[in-house]
Amino acid sequence: MKGKETFSSRWGMMLAMLSLAVGTGNVWRFPRIAATNDGGTFLIPWLIFLFAWSIPLLMIEFTIGKSMRAGPVDAFGKLIGSRFRWMGLWVAFTATAIMFYYSVVTGWCLRFFVATLTGEIPDAVPGAFWHGFEGSWQVVVVHIVMMAAGAGLVYRGIRGIERVARILLPALIVLIAVLMVRAVTLPNAHIGLNFLFTVHWADLANAEIWLQALTQNAWDTGAGWGLILTYAIYARGREDTSLNAAMIGFGNNSISLMAGILVLCTIFSIQPDAATEIVGAGNNGLTFIWVPQLFSQIPAGQLFMAVFFLALLFAAFTSLVSMIELATRVLMDRKIPRRRAVLIVGAAGVIFGLPSALSPAFFNNQDAVWGIGLMVSGLLFAVAVIKYGANRFRDVLMNTGDSDFLVGRWWRPLVFFVLLEAVILLVWWLSQTISQEGWAASLNPFADWSLGTVLLQWGAALAVFIWWNRRAERGKFAHD
Amino acid sequence: MTENAVFTMVIVLSLVWGGFISLLGYAMRRESRKRSTTGSPAEGSRSREKQS
């Protein structure tokens, strides 16, 4: 099957790629992060990092996937040498570790959509339904349902994924557009618009806003995850890379803006006095506690609440599918047939997702460890291009006769800038954690959340990957 | 809405939404040009491969 599967058309591929990029990060994280970082002021660096982080990494991933025709592990090996496959393994494992708990998130969205239909939410006591549901056996059930649904779709191959994306992505855009129109027509919605679009130029000197804008771009565009690389394997023979990658970045951020308008206009219209408390309640608190309360206070609120959770479910499910496809592709590259590979990934997803389904503390731990691990993945992509030669990468792999536009001399400095951004982000995160928690607490490796637990898990994973790579180099594994 | 907010909203939405629509329009034109000159992009690639 390897090498034979392709998307049916450019537009089928673009819909599949946009559907993987648009996830819960757009709908629940963007509005919250924009609101807690001075609204309009945040949008300036957020726009700059679209060009300085997301689009370059999307271009790198697209080019590597299309040129190497292999999942992250073998693609890194083909690009810069087989002794660097551990870098691809890091990228693949990070996305797979996220898949384990992302299936739980997708399950939450399914349960809340059902709860709007059955009238279980909004609840009399705000948050009562969420607190009764979180960590219960019901989460295990919906986690298994979503993992099975995702694996079932990947089992059908890339054309199956494309067919579903052709329906779900346009449906998602329509649902968010309907909610956005409803939100901006609420009384006093202009307060939300004022908040989202007012720039305080002096606040641009605040480094925290810039770093939050960079992390938001890293998390919500899917750049550096290895997912675009995986879908690009199935691009048709002479497909464009640069323009397609840019379209994914712009399309993804367009949907983030729609979500920002809809959430902030709703909050400032319904509960302007509690806006700070609402956006400070975290992703789960905003979505699963406050959204039902907010929608219950507008006419036909139950209908709009159902539309919101259906949109969230579509966004989460299509992203989950891409993570399952990535893990499946890595196994397929090891000569395992797609159908058997999907069964292995599906079973692993169910088993390793169970701790996150049952324990909110474990979920938060994994979210932190592997969410931040994405920064390292982005850094590894930039390192790989620099090692290959940024100009050579551009001339040989990007600017082929199939390109819709040619990448210029700006490419090399931009790749170095991406590397610099990743290093700054990681150093900033380390210093923030140590200054907030202190050395002793931050280095405790067994805390629910600490620098120590992150470094322990990263270190263990890296040690295994490098050991595997060395063994594979010596020909210890039959398939290598 | 304040003037500051209206100005930023127009700039940001023009850049992001307008940018996406412009790129999409450009890609559609390029794609239709490829189709009209080669029949289909896939056929085009085969013929170019033969020429090379």
Side-chain angles (χ1 to χ4, degrees), chain B:
Chain B
M1 284 180 73
T2 63
E3 273 182 29
N4 180 340
V6 171
F7 177 74
T8 312
M9 187 170 82
V10 170
I11 297 291
V12 170
L13 295 185
S14 305
L15 263 172
V16 180
W17 292 357
F20 177 63
I21 291 166
S22 306
L23 289 177
L24 190 62
Y26 180 63
M28 289 170 88
R29 283 199 303 278
R30 295 284 304 186
E31 197 65 15
S32 68
R33 198 179 303 165
K34 282 181 194 171
R35 282 178 190 279
S36 64
T37 54
T38 61
S40 78
E43 283 175 32
S45 16
R46 280 195 291 274
S47 60
R48 270 179 286 181
E49 275 161 13
K50 278 180 189 172
Q51 284 168 9
S52 62

Side-chain angles (χ1 to χ4, degrees), chain A residues 3 51 72 102 113 212 279 286:
Chain A
F51 294 95
Y102 202 79
F113 172 62
Q212 290 291 353
V279 296
L286 169 64

Side-chain angles (χ1 to χ4, degrees), chain A residues 343-366:
Chain A
L343 290 175
I344 294 169
V345 172
V350 167
I351 293 165
F352 294 114
L354 282 178
S356 294
L358 291 168
S359 163
F362 189 85
F363 175 93
N364 290 333
N365 175 283
Q366 291 299 288

Side-chain angles (χ1 to χ4, degrees), chain A residues 118-346:
Chain A
T118 57
E120 292 167 277
I121 52 171
D123 29 20
V125 180
F129 183 80
W130 168 249
H131 293 306
F133 168 69
E134 190 185 25
S136 72
W137 62 269
Q138 290 185 56
V139 182
V140 175
V141 173
V142 288
H143 157 60
I144 293 171
V145 167
M146 294 319 302
M147 200 65 215
L153 183 55
V154 174
Y155 190 85
R156 298 168 68 89
I158 205 68
R159 288 291 173 98
I161 294 172
E162 181 187 331
R163 270 194 292 274
V164 170
R166 278 177 183 274
I167 298 165
L168 293 193
L169 186 74
L172 169 67
I173 293 170
V174 169
L175 293 177
I176 292 182
V178 166
L179 289 169
M180 186 184 73
V181 170
R182 179 67 200 117
V184 295
T185 53
L186 286 169
N188 298 320
H190 69 277
I191 303 173
L193 290 175
N194 269 338
F195 184 79
L196 182 61
F197 291 108
T198 298
V199 181
H200 302 106
W201 297 100
D203 291 345
L204 280 174
N206 182 353
E208 171 89 16
I209 291 178
W210 286 81
L211 289 160
Q212 290 291 353
L214 175 54
T215 39
Q216 179 58 29
N217 264 290
W219 274 320
D220 90 350
T221 54
W225 290 54
L227 302 172
I228 293 291
L229 181 157
T230 304
Y231 276 13
I233 296 168
Y234 308 104
R236 295 169 309 161
R238 295 259 176 162
E239 198 66 83
D240 160 80
T241 51
S242 311
L243 183 60
N244 285 340
M247 271 197 290
I248 296 164
F250 273 92
N252 176 79
N253 283 21
S254 295
I255 295 174
S256 289
L257 271 179
M258 291 168 75
I261 292 169
L262 103 79
V263 170
L264 294 180
C265 285
T266 307
I267 290 173
F268 279 92
S269 172
I270 308 293
Q271 297 219 0
D273 298 333
T276 309
E277 184 189 351
I278 294 170
V279 296
N283 292 330
N284 301 349
L286 169 64
T287 309
F288 298 116
I289 297 174
W290 281 103
V291 161
Q293 300 306 316
L294 293 169
F295 278 111
S296 68
Q297 293 176 49
I298 63 174
Q302 201 72 16
L303 171 69
F304 288 110
M305 199 192 314
V307 170
F308 177 84
F309 283 112
L310 186 62
L312 200 60
L313 175 61
F314 286 174
F317 180 67
T318 48
S319 299
L320 175 67
V321 165
S322 68
M323 295 175 208
I324 298 173
E325 171 61 29
L326 182 151
T328 301
R329 181 69 208 197
V330 170
L331 295 182
M332 287 167 67
D333 289 342
R334 310 254 72 74
K335 314 292 184 210
I336 298 172
R338 172 180 282 278
R339 293 184 172 183
R340 196 187 304 166
V342 174
L343 290 175
I344 294 169
V345 172

Side-chain angles (χ1 to χ4, degrees), chain A residues 451-464:
Chain A
L451 177 61
T453 189
V454 174
L455 295 181
L456 178 71
Q457 292 179 64
W458 284 7
L462 269 177
V464 171

